[in-house]
Amino acid sequence: MTQYATFRVNDRLYGTDILSVREIIRVFDITPVPRTDGHIRGLINLRGQIVTILDLAVRLGMDRPEITDNSHIVVLKTAAEIGTALSRGSGGPPQGANEPVGLLVDAISDVVEAESGHTEAPPANLNETEERFLSGVVKTDAGLLILLNMHDLLFSH
Amino acid sequence: MATKPGALKVQKSEEALRLSPRGDLVASTVESLRSGMLKAIDGAQGPVVLDLGTARQIDSLGITLTLGLFKSCQKKGIGFSVEGVSPDILRVFRLFNLTRFFPIEEAAK
Amino acid sequence: MSSFADESIISDFVAESREHLSSIEPDLLAMEQDGAAAVGEVINRVFRAIHSIKGGAGFFAFENLKRLSHAMESVLMQVRDGKLSVTPAIMDVVFGALDRLRAMLDDIQSSDSVPCEKELEALKGILDRQGVATGKTVKAKTKGGGPLFDLDAEGVRSALRRGMTLYHAIAYLHRDVRDQGLTPLAFLNNALSVGTCLDAFIDVMAIADLEGCLEQDLPVTLLFGTVLEPELAALALKLPPSQLKPLDMDALKKSAKVADPKKADPLQAPEPQPVGGTPEFSPVPAAGGADPAPEGSPEEKSASKASREAGSETLRVRVELLTNLMNLAGELVLGRNQLMLAVGDRRRDIPGLNGILQNLNQVTTEMQEGIMQTRMQPIGMVFSRFPRIIRDMSRQLAKQIEVQIQGAEVEMDKSIVELLTDPLTHIIRNCADHAIEDPAERRSKGKNPTGTIYLDAYHEGGQVNIVIRDDGRGIDPKKVGAKAVTKGLITQAQLAEMSEREIVNLVFAPGFSMAEKISDISGRGVGMDVVRTNTEKLGGHVEMESVVGQGTTVRLQLPLTLAIIPSMIVGVSNQRFAIPQVNVVEFVWVKASEVRTKVERVQGAEVLRLRDQLLPLVRLADALDLPRIYVDPDSGEAAEDRRQSLADRRGPGEGKSLRAEDRRKDWRSDYNVVVLRQGPNQFGVIVDELFDIEEIVVKPLSSFLHDTKCFSGATILGDGRVIMILDASGLSNLAGLHFTDLQAEGKKRAEKELEARALKASRLRSVILFKAAVGEHFAVPQDKVQRLERIQAGAIERVGDREYIDYRGEGLPLIRLDGVMEVSPIAPGTEELYVIIPKVLGSESPPPAGILISTILDAVDVEVDLKPVEIKGPGLLGSAMVQDHLTLFLDPVALAGSAAGVAP
């Protein structure tokens, strides 16, 4: 069984292995960074550590969302915290793998358990612009859970 | 099936008796390894191979254990060698000039 | 329980060995320079360092490292014992081996794959020529015991010669090492501080079999040589005296002699005199540092003393740990600030709270400073590399070069010291390669055949200056300029506008390489631009000065620390940014009413006219691609400003210009300009707001922000907000500033201005205004008048037609203006008169004549355009309106000359 932390972006349910999540926090004071990629929402001060916030919606090819009371930041573990590099294949962890990063989401949802074997390839009708960031889907009681390919999401250009 | 550190895998073949401890040779594992080894070499005829393929660390007790096993084999008049040694452990063995007593083979890279 | 293969012990060994290597490099250089005169302490230090590396390498079974350090030790032993005199060739071998050792230490895990056969061969070659048999062994045993060790004969002989006794020492790993709180390495290091360790291994025979093995404490056997008596030796080794047995020295001496019959027994035969009469050295490490100091200069004694003291009072700490501490300190500062804010006015309500808060405040600040201090390292860490580099280069280039270092103790943040290594090395290499001439050339120029490179570091104004000066050939601005033009870096026209200093500094331009021929050593096209880039990355700047034939000076200015820097906080588009204060030159406030006169456009870009300079302007909002925002001062409302540029409101079109008029009256059109320094250039950044200067803790930029060139990092402000730190050079690049164009333009304007001023000056005259008759005004240039003499009418004497006065004892002819031109005469009966005495060339000769006038009106500066007059007369220059009167301008010299000419 794998447990997934799930969250909503644009009314879709996304998830990632809960072991890759350090903590989930409410949104506060994001400092925007001018002249950088659109999916970089900005920086926050998390107890003295500067965390880069990625805008998951923008990264997945959707419009830049408004921040509401439901918005949250999913702070991910760094490669060192997970214990293994997120990289696949050779070459060690990619640059930035040990820098703290968080994902801006519209809302958080429950932790979902699923058998590892029950993951399916993402269906073609998802209409996601950025299918390369998806690793598969799992059918759950709450609906279709779309799993994120965290490595590419964070590090591919 | 998972094996706990300190477990000893014993494989008998025509050529040798292969002893493969699971994990490091350190204070916490040497006791159980020793009892496993004592049982395994009781009545052994052929050469004994200590396979350290999963060991990354060795402390003074681990060295003592290795030497004890060597000495026991010597008493029985059977061959003894160590295989699958990590570079770190190899360094310790070399440092103590153990290479002059029994063959030590480095882990394949 | 720690394993022997513990990484941290090995990394300690590596770190220590590296320190050894860098600390002995200067000693080796001194040995080479002083040859036989090198003092014993220097050689001993080198020997000890290599010896301890060998010991550790043996202990950890790094075969390659051990073999090479062993061979080096043997050669050094020959030097120390006075059997081998140091030559550059030998030092080449030693330095080569040293570099290999360093390479091995760089990646200790693969040290066995570092090739070192060449070095070993070379070292062995030296030993062979010395007749030292390598690989001969001696059997050693304790009294009454069997053979115990196979020893290297030369090592034993050396130990014997130094009066050492060899001991068989046993240390139990559990009882004597682990239970004493020592790691095996620490144990060994301690042993090496009181003697030498000739061999070390584990005693396998002590173990019976598997059954009882774990209960057995494992003994490590050492063959240990020291000059100490047995009890003292045991104490020093922290071993029970029973575990330290002296070897049978008589037998050892015999066998050492037998082992190599070519050599006389060193203890019986007189020692061969050391080359050059170097005195015999006192035994190497003596007890507990209470070393009876051997011959050596006072400096050396104090140096070795200092290093001993340093050894006992310092602690090795991982940088990572310090970085973490620094982050925590930053967090603490933040916590303190938040606490202060939260408590606010209520701090007086609780008795004593205020004091506690103040104390906390103070301690926090001091702690932060203290932690910063731990990261400081002396610049000498970098400087110390250079004597060696120069030594190698001078050999290679057949030049004679000396390095002189000052201020090695100046401390800077570790990260800066590290990042400086490459730029400084590049500059130094350039000096040796290009600047310093070969000895013949220097001699022919009347210079000392040995060139000198001076390295100097000193504090100045909260910054560190590093100066690299050479006495070489200097840089010819003509060559640099020509090359820069050829390479297309600047145009010929631009070159013509540049000062020599500016031209010389072109060597820092990207793609500029001054080397006329590509040498092995430097000058491959990349170079000085990297120096500049790196220096600026560190928040510093670099400048070069050069005098052809005399030498070149490169000056680097750097901040003390990168981690905490005072920064100006500015606001633009409702966001705050930090600008490191080191980049800030000044702040200029251009009032809205002045914008029109002070800000103009040059080649499409806004520039500020500041003290005759043209300063390129960058609108921060535009550079950062942020909306321009204006905040209404009354309502506090923010609104986006939709004007695209300054040009829009100056542009034609009634509506716009109307609006522009409104704007100009509005305070919001004021320009807040922060003038930034970037290398030799300056530019202005227009911001909306200026806040305080704050000490900020710099956090590196996340690599997720890789594309942003305009920021050098981020920081957390006192209120907990994250803000970005602006990078001056990134900003100027982003804004596409063309400093050279502007400088050229600025220079052109300055020259024009100068011309205009000169022109104006040429039209400006200081004149004396006077009258002769009542209604007519005259003027004479002051610079043509020697004196004005007041006379009484009665003093005038008449001789025939001529009138005279007595002037300095001689008769001076007088001219009446109405006598030489058509003007009215002086009213008769005027008693008080004046005489204008014109200036004459050569003060000796008397003036030819004086001009008689009635009234002096004024002495004024006037700017006039003289118009021709209708009347004619000698010396009449023309007329102009002065003080609302038509005034005739006269040249008194010409007038007096012509009048005197007609005189008989």
Side-chain angles (χ1 to χ4, degrees):
Chain A
M1 291 291 261
T2 308
Q3 291 188 310
Y4 296 100
T6 69
F7 32 82
R8 293 194 173 271
V9 172
N10 247 7
D11 285 331
R12 280 221 177 91
L13 192 64
Y14 293 89
T16 181
D17 189 332
I18 200 156
L19 294 177
S20 66
V21 176
R22 192 209 284 177
E23 59 185 310
I24 293 174
I25 54 172
R26 292 197 167 276
V27 178
F28 62 94
D29 291 350
I30 301 181
T31 299
V33 181
R35 281 199 178 260
T36 187
D37 296 342
H39 67 274
I40 305 283
R41 187 80 184 211
L43 307 173
I44 60 163
N45 164 20
L46 186 59
R47 295 187 296 277
Q49 193 177 32
I50 295 182
V51 180
T52 309
I53 307 302
L54 305 190
D55 195 324
L56 186 55
V58 175
R59 186 58 164 163
L60 294 175
M62 298 176 246
D63 289 340
R64 184 183 161 95
E66 291 295 320
I67 288 176
T68 68
D69 288 347
N70 287 328
S71 300
H72 277 81
I73 291 169
V74 180
V75 182
L76 300 173
K77 285 181 184 163
T78 61
E81 284 169 329
I82 295 174
T84 54
L86 281 161
S87 71
R88 297 168 304 180
S90 59
Q95 208 194 357
N98 274 321
E99 289 165 12
V101 59
L103 301 177
L104 176 70
V105 300
D106 289 347
I108 47 164
S109 193
D110 302 328
V111 172
V112 171
E113 282 197 353
E115 292 288 342
S116 315
H118 286 194
T119 315
E120 295 165 24
N125 62 359
L126 266 181
N127 288 333
E128 295 279 355
T129 327
E130 295 289 3
E131 275 176 54
R132 59 193 173 120
F133 299 140
L134 311 181
S135 67
V137 295
V138 180
K139 291 193 179 77
T140 70
D141 297 342
L144 202 62
L145 169 64
I146 306 165
L147 302 180
L148 295 170
N149 170 358
M150 223 35 111
H151 179 273
D152 285 359
L153 187 84
L154 296 185
F155 305 115
S156 85
H157 297 303
Chain B
M1 201 199 82
T3 47
K4 275 199 284 185
L8 184 72
K9 194 163 105 187
V10 181
Q11 286 169 295
K12 266 183 204 157
S13 71
E14 279 185 17
E15 301 109 51
L17 177 68
R18 176 172 287 268
L19 304 178
S20 314
R22 161 89 185 168
D24 298 344
L25 266 65
V26 290
S28 56
T29 59
V30 285
E31 283 293 352
S32 77
L33 285 174
R34 177 167 62 172
S35 53
M37 287 174 178
L38 278 171
K39 221 181 286 170
I41 62 165
D42 187 35
Q45 305 279 317
V48 171
V49 175
L50 180 63
D51 180 357
L52 295 182
T54 61
R56 288 163 161 261
Q57 293 210 325
I58 192 165
D59 64 12
S60 66
L61 285 169
I63 293 170
T64 333
L65 182 72
T66 309
L67 290 174
L69 183 59
F70 160 63
K71 295 292 275 195
S72 287
C73 290
Q74 212 177 28
K75 266 189 186 170
K76 284 173 182 285
I78 54 178
F80 175 71
S81 60
V82 185
E83 287 183 7
V85 180
S86 75
D88 284 350
I89 296 180
L90 181 65
R91 206 163 289 129
V92 177
F93 284 168
R94 274 206 192 136
L95 151 67
F96 292 133
N97 272 328
L98 300 185
T99 41
R100 57 169 102 154
F101 300 115
F102 45 82
I104 298 172
E105 199 176 283
E106 205 172 340
K109 289 196 175 158
Chain C
M1 168 183 267
S2 76
S3 148
F4 297 122
D6 191 339
E7 270 305 315
S8 77
I9 302 180
I10 292 177
S11 66
D12 276 359
F13 161 67
V14 169
E16 225 160 87
S17 302
R18 277 186 170 153
E19 267 171 34
H20 276 313
L21 290 187
S22 46
S23 73
I24 62 171
E25 202 156 64
D27 288 338
L28 286 172
L29 290 168
M31 274 169 66
E32 180 175 27
Q33 201 155 44
D34 303 345
V39 273
E41 183 57 24
V42 173
I43 302 170
N44 277 339
R45 242 187 341 244
V46 173
F47 183 79
R48 251 186 332 241
I50 297 295
H51 181 82
S52 114
I53 292 171
K54 187 193 83 171
F59 201 86
F60 291 112
F62 295 118
E63 266 314 304
N64 244 359
L65 194 64
K66 184 174 133 190
R67 273 162 66 211
L68 189 56
S69 49
H70 180 80
M72 274 179 89
E73 185 187 20
S74 304
V75 168
L76 289 168
M77 202 184 288
Q78 293 289 308
V79 175
R80 189 193 57 187
D81 295 348
K83 293 181 183 168
L84 182 65
S85 48
V86 169
T87 63
I90 286 173
M91 291 315 282
D92 278 348
V93 173
V94 173
F95 278 126
L98 194 74
D99 290 342
R100 281 292 159 202
L101 287 184
R102 200 173 271 142
M104 290 176 189
L105 289 167
D106 280 346
D107 185 3
I108 191 73
Q109 300 300 350
S110 22
S111 62
D112 280 352
S113 57
V114 174
C116 62
E117 296 311 321
K118 212 180 82 199
E119 286 74 18
L120 279 172
E121 271 311 301
L123 290 167
K124 194 168 166 291
I126 296 173
L127 291 172
D128 285 348
R129 282 194 294 283
Q130 286 296 110
V132 179
T134 43
K136 292 264 177 173
T137 60
V138 177
K139 299 256 183 252
K141 58 180 181 178
T142 44
K143 281 180 181 148
L148 197 67
F149 299 99
D150 284 340
L151 298 173
D152 177 68
E154 188 60 23
V156 171
R157 261 198 303 277
S158 172
L160 293 178
R161 239 189 335 265
R162 281 144 59 200
M164 287 186 168
T165 306
L166 301 187
Y167 293 93
H168 168 207
I170 295 174
Y172 289 92
L173 282 177
H174 296 176
R175 200 181 67 210
D176 299 323
V177 179
R178 190 192 63 199
D179 295 350
Q180 301 285 326
L182 293 172
T183 62
L185 179 64
F187 176 80
L188 192 72
N189 278 346
N190 178 50
L192 288 175
S193 69
V194 294
T196 67
C197 197
L198 293 162
D199 203 357
F201 61 87
I202 204 158
D203 195 348
V204 183
M205 298 306 158
I207 290 188
D209 59 10
L210 190 56
E211 198 102 27
C213 64
L214 294 181
E215 289 69 32
Q216 183 80 36
D217 194 354
L218 261 187
V220 173
T221 304
L222 305 172
L223 181 67
F224 189 68
T226 176
V227 293
L228 299 178
E229 294 301 312
E231 300 83 46
L232 281 177
L235 207 62
L237 288 176
K238 297 176 183 154
L239 290 176
S242 60
Q243 284 170 227
L244 199 71
K245 294 180 191 134
L247 294 188
D248 186 339
M249 296 306 285
D250 291 338
L252 198 60
K253 281 170 200 164
K254 258 183 230 155
S255 83
K257 190 182 168 190
V258 169
D260 188 356
K262 278 185 284 178
K263 294 271 167 187
D265 187 327
L267 290 183
Q268 286 160 19
E271 200 45 28
Q273 267 306 304
V275 179
T278 313
E280 187 61 280
F281 312 116
S282 66
V284 185
D291 193 345
E295 302 81 355
S297 65
E299 294 92 314
E300 245 129 23
K301 280 183 208 161
S302 65
S304 72
K305 188 167 165 246
S307 67
R308 263 202 300 273
E309 279 168 3
S312 60
E313 286 171 13
T314 60
L315 185 65
R316 202 183 301 280
V317 180
R318 287 201 316 280
V319 177
E320 193 186 316
L321 199 65
L322 289 182
T323 311
N324 193 27
L325 268 182
M326 199 151 72
N327 285 339
L328 287 174
E331 241 178 276
L332 186 61
V333 170
L334 186 59
R336 171 198 67 189
N337 295 351
Q338 286 167 339
L339 180 65
M340 297 287 187
L341 215 65
V343 173
D345 294 337
R346 270 174 292 174
R347 63 165 64 185
R348 308 252 172 229
D349 298 352
I350 303 169
L353 180 61
N354 199 38
I356 295 171
L357 287 178
Q358 276 174 2
N359 195 28
L360 176 69
N361 194 7
Q362 183 62 28
V363 171
T364 308
T365 308
E366 278 175 22
M367 192 184 80
Q368 196 178 27
E369 279 167 9
I371 292 172
M372 293 292 306
Q373 287 290 323
T374 61
R375 287 178 53 90
M376 301 295 263
Q377 287 194 316
I379 187 75
M381 304 255 302
V382 183
F383 281 6
S384 61
R385 299 160 47 99
F386 299 135
R388 165 70 195 284
I389 290 175
I390 293 307
R391 181 254 169 213
D392 284 0
M393 285 182 72
S394 7
R395 292 265 294 158
Q396 213 173 328
L397 298 163
K399 292 181 180 179
Q400 295 169 16
I401 309 174
E402 205 178 272
V403 181
Q404 289 198 9
I405 292 177
Q406 263 184 24
E409 72 288 348
V410 169
E411 288 194 326
M412 305 171 83
D413 191 89
K414 179 181 163 60
S415 48
I416 300 187
V417 172
E418 279 165 3
L419 286 167
L420 266 180
T421 307
D422 284 352
L424 286 182
T425 308
H426 192 88
I427 297 172
I428 295 278
R429 284 179 167 275
N430 261 332
C431 285
D433 198 11
H434 306 311
I436 305 280
E437 313 89 332
D438 57 49
E441 189 181 340
R442 290 182 67 89
R443 241 181 244 114
S444 73
K445 286 177 174 172
K447 287 178 165 182
N448 184 335
T450 301
T452 309
I453 299 172
Y454 303 88
L455 277 163
D456 191 4
Y458 58 93
H459 288 282
E460 192 183 68
Q463 289 192 304
V464 172
N465 282 310
I466 297 173
V467 178
I468 303 106
R469 184 162 61 88
D470 66 62
D471 61 354
R473 54 171 67 97
I475 295 177
D476 187 350
K478 283 191 205 93
K479 279 192 190 168
V480 175
K483 182 154 179 173
V485 173
T486 319
K487 295 222 160 195
L489 299 174
I490 50 167
T491 64
Q492 193 69 47
Q494 284 169 334
L495 180 63
E497 301 283 350
M498 292 171 82
S499 72
E500 285 199 350
R501 193 191 172 105
E502 284 171 317
I503 295 171
V504 167
N505 278 280
L506 281 173
V507 299
F508 291 117
F512 190 96
S513 167
M514 199 46 215
E516 276 172 14
K517 56 178 182 210
I518 290 181
S519 82
D520 259 0
I521 293 168
S522 56
R524 288 199 185 82
V526 289
M528 294 307 268
D529 62 319
V530 178
V531 172
R532 175 146 90 188
T533 320
N534 283 0
T535 316
E536 283 173 1
K537 239 185 238 162
L538 294 173
H541 87 269
V542 58
E543 230 180 31
M544 186 182 270
E545 266 174 79
S546 190
V547 180
V548 177
Q550 289 180 26
T552 305
T553 303
V554 181
R555 193 181 306 270
L556 286 95
Q557 248 179 22
L558 294 150
L560 279 175
T561 163
L562 283 183
I564 294 189
I565 49 171
S567 295
M568 184 178 247
I569 312 295
V570 301
V572 66
S573 312
N574 293 327
Q575 278 193 50
R576 281 175 294 171
F577 296 90
I579 306 177
Q581 212 183 357
V582 60
N583 291 325
V584 177
V585 181
E586 62 179 316
F587 167 67
V588 180
W589 179 43
V590 184
K591 278 183 284 185
S593 56
E594 296 172 335
V595 164
R596 197 212 286 263
T597 52
K598 290 195 171 167
V599 178
E600 54 185 296
R601 298 199 144 241
V602 174
Q603 294 167 8
E606 278 181 90
V607 294
L608 172 67
R609 195 184 254 284
L610 182 65
R611 290 187 292 274
D612 296 338
Q613 261 199 325
L614 293 180
L615 203 65
L617 287 180
V618 176
R619 229 171 235 285
L620 191 54
D622 294 356
L624 297 181
D625 213 6
L626 294 171
R628 286 188 194 174
I629 292 209
Y630 287 90
V631 181
D632 190 295
D634 304 321
S635 66
E637 248 172 71
E640 248 180 65
D641 178 45
R642 301 195 187 281
R643 288 165 301 155
Q644 281 312 293
S645 74
L646 192 71
D648 284 2
R649 57 174 141 140
R650 295 186 157 189
E654 215 158 302
K656 267 184 189 166
S657 63
L658 248 181
R659 192 179 154 189
E661 286 305 321
D662 292 344
R663 277 286 177 200
R664 217 162 282 125
K665 282 174 202 142
D666 191 335
W667 71 275
R668 286 172 296 190
S669 294
D670 291 356
Y671 278 24
N672 296 315
V673 181
V674 183
V675 181
L676 297 188
R677 175 184 14 235
Q678 188 236 321
N681 302 317
Q682 298 189 350
F683 63 101
V685 175
I686 305 174
V687 300
D688 296 347
E689 287 171 282
L690 284 159
F691 300 98
D692 279 346
I693 287 177
E694 283 193 35
E695 299 266 322
I696 61 167
V697 180
V698 178
K699 310 234 174 191
L701 216 53
S702 159
S703 56
F704 289 104
L705 309 176
H706 48 87
D707 290 336
T708 40
K709 304 265 190 302
C710 38
F711 303 114
S712 60
T715 188
I716 300 174
L717 285 185
D719 63 4
R721 223 18 224 245
V722 178
I723 67 167
M724 307 299 293
I725 303 166
L726 288 168
D727 179 62
S729 74
L731 206 55
S732 78
N733 288 339
L734 202 65
L737 299 178
H738 302 289
F739 290 106
T740 13
D741 291 356
L742 264 184
Q743 275 161 4
E745 174 75 21
K747 198 158 285 176
K748 221 180 279 170
R749 289 190 186 200
E751 272 166 24
K752 261 187 201 157
E753 198 140 302
L754 216 63
E755 259 171 46
R757 216 179 288 161
L759 193 71
K760 196 175 168 191
S762 73
R763 285 164 53 196
L764 199 69
R765 296 153 199 253
S766 299
V767 293
I768 295 164
L769 301 176
F770 64 92
K771 287 197 278 195
V774 177
E776 293 165 359
H777 290 241
F778 296 88
V780 285
Q782 239 167 34
D783 57 352
K784 300 224 163 154
V785 175
Q786 185 176 317
R787 259 182 87 82
L788 290 170
E789 196 86 0
R790 192 168 71 172
I791 58 161
Q792 298 299 316
I796 300 171
E797 294 169 32
R798 298 187 70 95
V799 179
D801 273 354
R802 306 265 164 157
E803 292 174 301
Y804 297 86
I805 53 159
D806 179 47
Y807 181 67
R808 292 180 181 170
E810 289 188 34
L812 177 73
L814 290 179
I815 300 167
R816 285 180 187 264
L817 286 176
D818 55 301
V820 291
M821 55 186 79
E822 284 176 45
V823 294
S824 314
I826 295 168
T830 311
E831 274 306 305
E832 198 179 70
L833 297 163
Y834 292 86
V835 178
I836 295 171
I837 318 280
K839 204 166 249 175
V840 282
L841 294 171
S843 54
E844 295 307 312
S845 53
I851 302 160
L852 194 68
I853 61 169
S854 66
T855 317
I856 293 177
L857 295 169
D858 207 350
V860 290
D861 289 348
V862 291
E863 193 191 330
V864 288
D865 277 326
L866 292 180
K867 294 193 178 69
V869 282
E870 284 169 14
I871 56 169
K872 295 264 183 287
L876 197 56
L877 296 170
S879 74
M881 291 303 287
V882 178
Q883 293 176 352
D884 297 330
H885 291 282
L886 182 79
T887 306
L888 290 176
F889 279 67
L890 301 173
D891 178 351
V893 180
L895 180 60
S898 73
V902 299

